[in-house]
Amino acid sequence: GEDVEQSLFLSVREGDSSVINCTYTDSSSTYLYWYKQEPGAGLQLLTYIFSNMDMKQDQRLTVLLNKKDKHLSLRIADTQTGDSAIYFCAESVWGSGGGADGLTFGKGTHLIIQP
Amino acid sequence: NAGVTQTPKFQVLKTGQSMTLQCAQDMNHEYMSWYRQDPGMGLRLIHYSVGAGITDQGEVPNGYNVSRSTTEDFPLRLLSAAPSQTSVYFCASRMTGGLSNTEAFFGQGTRLTVV
């Protein structure tokens, strides 16, 4: 079965780097995603990584994937107050995972920015 | 291009009432799904559909019905509302990707309170 785990809260100082971690159990995951949810809004895709990649960088965002340990991380450089949100890790498992081509989400990590 | 549209944004129901949450997408996506979001529980899949005329149950289907008569619309019906159904409901759509990456697009959510 599929299970995606994240810590519920992360607090960082403005200007520091934030690292949000996620572990998953299904080794047949094809894509892994990071979604961002701002207060009162729906989820928006931040970035994703294909399971045969180790790293993906996109401006201030760096995604690292350790497939052996089934560990995914999202690093946000120079964290700003606008980064305050809930960040969801999700995996896509072809043919399973909440149904055909479904996504399985973690519970979300609340990123809290301290001035 | 409106994306995924959910109505209403807010709703208060009395226990035992029924109602339908509407979801429409204009991206010709095959896959649509309904999630509920509760504090500390993350997103849980209620029902999903892989195309018109096809629906299936997710993780927490009890108390909810769905239908998919068109590609665009995927309404969620609460048959007899209960306080345990107080939640924020999200509709999402995506192309069925198989082994290809496909982004899930989310509506803005419906905040439902059952008293």
Side-chain angles (χ1 to χ4, degrees), chain A residues 3-67:
Chain A
D3 199 14
V4 179
E5 300 283 343
Q6 301 176 241
S7 54
L8 288 182
F9 295 96
L10 175 67
S11 179
V12 298
R13 289 185 182 275
E14 190 175 358
D16 287 351
S17 292
S18 305
V19 180
I20 304 171
N21 294 303
C22 169
T23 58
Y24 60 97
T25 56
D26 199 316
S27 57
S28 54
S29 295
T30 52
Y31 284 90
L32 294 133
Y33 303 84
W34 285 104
Y35 279 82
K36 178 182 180 182
Q37 184 184 31
E38 295 181 347
L43 279 70
Q44 285 191 301
L45 181 67
L46 261 187
T47 186
Y48 66 91
I49 189 167
F50 188 47
S51 56
N52 69 353
M53 297 169 65
D54 299 322
M55 186 182 88
K56 180 177 180 181
Q57 189 149 4
D58 183 3
Q59 298 183 331
R60 290 192 299 123
L61 305 177
T62 304
V63 179
L64 294 177
L65 175 60
N66 182 329
K67 204 171 178 185

Side-chain angles (χ1 to χ4, degrees), chain B:
Chain B
N1 193 349
V4 179
T5 303
Q6 285 183 240
T7 55
K9 288 189 169 53
F10 301 94
Q11 182 70 50
V12 179
L13 288 179
K14 292 184 179 177
T15 298
Q17 284 186 312
S18 62
M19 80 158 293
T20 300
L21 308 187
Q22 302 291 345
C23 177
Q25 52 92 10
D26 60 359
M27 297 171 281
N28 203 32
H29 285 168
E30 296 156 319
Y31 190 90
M32 296 185 75
S33 50
W34 276 101
Y35 295 89
R36 59 178 288 173
Q37 183 179 26
D38 301 293
M41 302 291 287
L43 288 166
R44 293 184 290 171
L45 182 67
I46 304 172
H47 284 283
Y48 66 96
S49 168
V50 299
I54 307 168
T55 64
D56 208 342
Q57 296 181 348
E59 181 187 353
V60 288
N62 292 341
Y64 307 94
N65 272 0
V66 291
S67 59
R68 186 92 180 271
S69 55
T70 66
T71 300
E72 293 78 20
D73 300 297
F74 190 44
L76 177 73
R77 278 182 284 279
L78 279 71
L79 308 171
S80 176
S84 61
Q85 293 178 303
T86 293
S87 187
V88 181
Y89 292 84
F90 287 100
C91 178
S93 76
R94 63 195 291 218
M95 294 292 289
T96 47
L99 291 176
S100 301
N101 170 47
T102 57
E103 177 182 351
F105 292 84
F106 283 80
Q108 291 299 298
T110 296
R111 282 153 182 77
L112 176 69
T113 302
V114 182
V115 297

Side-chain angles (χ1 to χ4, degrees), chain A residues 77-97:
Chain A
D78 187 24
T79 308
Q80 303 298 309
T81 54
D83 296 323
S84 180
I86 305 175
Y87 291 81
F88 289 91
C89 172
E91 64 174 348
S92 173
V93 179
W94 186 67
S96 65

